[in-house]
Amino acid sequence: MQFSDEGYIIKSRRHGESGLILTVLTRSNGKISGYVKNAFNSKKNGIYQLGNSVSLNAYARLEEDLYSFHVDLLKAEAVNFMSDEAKLSALSSLCELCNICLPEKENIGRFYNIIETFFNNILQENWKVYYSYFEFYLLEYLGIGLDLSECAATGTKENLKYISPNSGKAVCAQAGAPYADRLFLYPKYVIEKKENPPSQEIREVLKLTEFFLNKNFFQAHGLKFPENRANLRHIMQL
């Protein structure tokens, strides 16, 4: 089997003297891994950095075989992260979460567009918003989507202000007020697709996504929550 695609490098590890095992999150084929032959030479040294946008041709004799990759650089995205600790940490977290959470060889649909939007906006002042969108919609992709349509206690759709950590359902301001210190804040800017919320709101969304990713995916699968993600809010100063 053979195909061409494009995507972002999310993992790279040396294999033998001159080869690489590369994992790429692709537009049409999802997360795929393959072997790159003769990866280390002066012409190609900069291609295989995490976050770089690449085109690839993949070939395998059988579907279960490891692909052989021919990779070309589309855009050197990695340079947009290297001089900023917060951006580099966000990239590391995104790559780690994608590597652990996403299945192999499965088209991830519109979730790819969410990831692409993060990369496209990394030079913007509000880039942290797009990282928070990535984690929020990762929950949805994994089937951990929160029920934000109405209040779990009263059924009202008005004045939703909180999220229950137990049920993942919305709670209105009146019903949630007595328990406010035990609830997450409702991710209003995500629902309304706003791009310039206050930093405090971004912090609250990342607290929310961290909790549900850890509880409903990592702990449910007996996995340790990634350290580079656990430290991210501190490094991002949120």
Side-chain angles (χ1 to χ4, degrees):
M1 58 183 303
Q2 187 171 0
F3 62 87
S4 298
D5 209 337
E6 63 180 47
Y8 297 96
I9 295 174
I10 59 171
K11 188 175 183 179
S12 176
R13 63 180 176 90
R14 194 155 190 154
H15 186 79
E17 291 186 4
S18 61
L20 275 178
I21 301 295
L22 209 63
T23 303
V24 182
L25 190 64
T26 66
R27 184 179 299 278
S28 300
N29 292 275
K31 186 181 73 175
I32 55 174
S33 297
Y35 176 70
V36 181
K37 185 179 179 181
N38 297 325
F40 299 100
N41 62 57
S42 58
K43 293 182 180 180
K44 295 183 177 181
N45 281 345
I47 293 180
Y48 307 112
Q49 301 294 320
L50 291 186
N52 273 352
S53 172
V54 297
S55 64
L56 60 86
N57 292 314
Y59 169 78
R61 287 200 308 166
L62 300 173
E63 187 173 351
E64 60 270 21
D65 289 347
L66 180 68
Y67 291 113
S68 293
F69 282 168
H70 174 80
V71 179
D72 290 306
L73 183 66
L74 290 178
K75 188 175 180 181
E77 297 281 5
V79 300
N80 296 327
F81 296 86
M82 295 305 177
S83 61
D84 187 309
E85 183 185 11
K87 291 180 180 180
L88 189 59
S89 295
L91 174 63
S92 177
S93 178
L94 181 146
C95 290
E96 186 77 355
L97 289 173
C98 287
N99 272 301
I100 297 173
C101 298
L102 299 183
E104 292 274 353
K105 302 178 184 179
E106 182 177 297
N107 189 321
I108 59 175
R110 73 184 187 96
F111 183 53
Y112 182 89
N113 298 332
I114 301 295
I115 295 169
E116 187 173 46
T117 299
F118 166 72
F119 282 99
N120 288 344
N121 287 278
I122 194 60
L123 296 179
Q124 302 302 316
E125 187 175 349
N126 63 339
W127 66 269
K128 295 174 185 177
V129 176
Y130 297 100
Y131 181 84
S132 70
Y133 281 145
F134 156 71
E135 287 201 1
F136 185 87
Y137 287 106
L138 176 60
L139 286 175
E140 180 182 82
Y141 178 81
L142 294 174
I144 313 171
L146 308 176
D147 184 355
L148 307 180
S149 59
E150 62 182 33
C151 175
T154 67
T156 182
K157 299 179 184 295
E158 304 298 323
N159 205 18
L160 301 177
K161 189 175 180 179
Y162 304 104
I163 301 290
S164 166
N166 295 321
S167 66
K169 295 183 178 181
V171 181
C172 69
Q174 183 177 2
Y179 316 100
D181 61 338
R182 287 176 267 170
L183 302 174
F184 293 107
L185 289 182
Y186 187 83
K188 187 175 181 181
Y189 79 84
V190 178
I191 303 305
E192 296 179 353
K193 296 181 171 55
K194 292 184 177 179
E195 298 179 345
N196 290 286
S199 294
Q200 180 182 356
E201 292 187 26
I202 303 173
R203 180 178 68 247
E204 294 300 323
V205 166
L206 291 180
K207 285 170 61 178
L208 173 77
T209 54
E210 179 177 337
F211 176 85
F212 282 103
L213 281 171
N214 191 23
K215 174 188 173 185
N216 292 4
F217 184 86
F218 285 89
Q219 291 182 11
H221 289 84
L223 300 172
K224 182 180 178 181
F225 195 66
E227 185 175 342
N228 55 5
R229 171 57 184 88
N231 297 327
L232 184 60
R233 281 191 289 118
H234 172 72
I235 297 171
M236 290 172 70
Q237 298 183 347
L238 288 173

